[in-house]
Amino acid sequence: GNSVTQMEGPVTLSEEAFLTINCTYTATGYPSLFWYVQYPGEGLQLLLKATKADDKGSNKGFEATYRKETTSFHLEKGSVQVSDSAVYFCALSDRSGNDMRFGAGTRLTVKP
Amino acid sequence: EAGVTQFPSHSVIEKGQTVTLRCDPISGHDNLYWYRRVMGKEIKFLLHFVKESKQDESGMPNNRFLAERTGGTYSTLKVQPAELEDSGVYFCASQTSVDSPLHFGNGTRLTVT
């Protein structure tokens, strides 16, 4: 079945550092790929998504490219801020919420 | 528009007790999902409602869990009797159609002692 594996945390970075959170997936079809973010005390929010191979999702300075050849969807940001401290979840879905598969989450802490 | 709201935000109960979690989806969202994150592991699907009907409950761990969505509006998830391994964060999400974005609530953190 479909599954997602993301790098384990926690990740601690200094402000303005470069961020990469790795995510790889296993899927039988051609799923859509997502990154969700959970800020402290809040629910999951969609950060970005990509629906087909070679698509790049981007939002708030974060980017991820749907790489079919490496089955990856790594999250990157060139310069993190303290306000980016949160838990990041990689996810995939064939179509709807009942086949959504999430990674274990990566906690990011950015220090000033 | 108001987002998905969940109540309570935290619940601490003893093993063997009963707890009921509530989710109010965004108005007009026919699709409602429950998910659970246990012990910092991945978020797992529990079940899916379309209006008041259970579309898919394949993720429900056992018969101690009962979900309802009377009237197709808010939903409740009851755990009876609660066990230690039920501790975790329970998320609710809603969407207008299966192709539209999922909107998540803040989650209910359940601790069973």
Side-chain angles (χ1 to χ4, degrees):
Chain A
N2 293 352
S3 66
V4 173
T5 302
Q6 63 180 102
M7 65 183 285
E8 293 184 15
V11 174
T12 302
L13 296 173
S14 298
E15 208 165 20
E16 299 184 3
F18 184 86
L19 169 71
T20 299
I21 300 178
N22 290 340
C23 172
T24 57
Y25 68 90
T26 302
T28 53
Y30 301 95
S32 295
L33 302 176
F34 307 83
W35 277 100
Y36 282 86
V37 58
Q38 184 182 19
Y39 297 103
E42 300 182 13
L44 276 77
Q45 302 173 23
L46 179 63
L47 180 60
L48 53 84
K49 70 175 184 180
T51 57
K52 61 183 186 296
D54 299 325
D55 267 3
K56 177 186 284 188
S58 61
N59 185 24
K60 298 181 180 180
F62 290 89
E63 292 183 342
T65 301
Y66 191 144
R67 302 282 188 201
K68 190 170 181 295
E69 64 277 14
T70 54
T71 62
S72 66
F73 193 56
H74 304 322
L75 183 68
E76 297 182 335
K77 186 173 184 180
S79 177
V80 293
Q81 305 300 312
V82 173
S83 56
D84 294 327
S85 298
V87 182
Y88 292 82
F89 295 90
C90 185
L92 67 79
S93 173
D94 276 330
R95 185 158 183 252
S96 66
N98 54 335
D99 59 30
M100 185 78 79
R101 296 290 182 267
F102 290 89
T106 303
R107 180 176 296 279
L108 169 67
T109 301
V110 181
K111 296 187 174 181
Chain B
E1 64 178 1
V4 177
T5 56
Q6 292 187 243
F7 182 83
S9 57
H10 294 84
S11 180
V12 181
I13 61 172
E14 293 182 353
K15 176 182 173 180
Q17 290 185 322
T18 298
V19 64
T20 300
L21 314 181
R22 172 169 170 148
C23 169
D24 286 73
I26 294 174
S27 177
H29 282 198
D30 288 343
N31 293 275
L32 186 150
Y33 304 85
W34 283 98
Y35 298 89
R36 177 173 76 165
R37 187 182 189 214
V38 174
M39 292 291 290
K41 296 184 179 178
E42 66 269 25
I43 299 168
K44 289 194 173 181
F45 165 79
L46 295 178
L47 86 159
H48 171 208
F49 283 99
V50 177
K51 296 184 180 179
E52 67 276 10
S53 300
K54 291 178 186 175
Q55 187 77 8
D56 180 352
E57 53 185 329
S58 61
M60 294 288 263
N62 52 60
N63 59 10
R64 295 186 293 104
F65 289 75
L66 175 65
E68 294 180 325
R69 193 183 181 194
T70 306
T73 55
Y74 70 90
S75 174
T76 58
L77 180 64
K78 180 190 287 188
V79 185
Q80 179 182 29
E83 298 290 345
L84 299 178
E85 63 265 25
D86 300 332
S87 296
V89 181
Y90 291 76
F91 291 101
C92 176
S94 71
Q95 63 182 174
T96 52
S97 66
V98 293
D99 294 321
S100 60
L102 277 172
H103 297 263
F104 282 84
N106 288 359
T108 294
R109 181 175 295 278
L110 174 64
T111 302
V112 183
T113 62

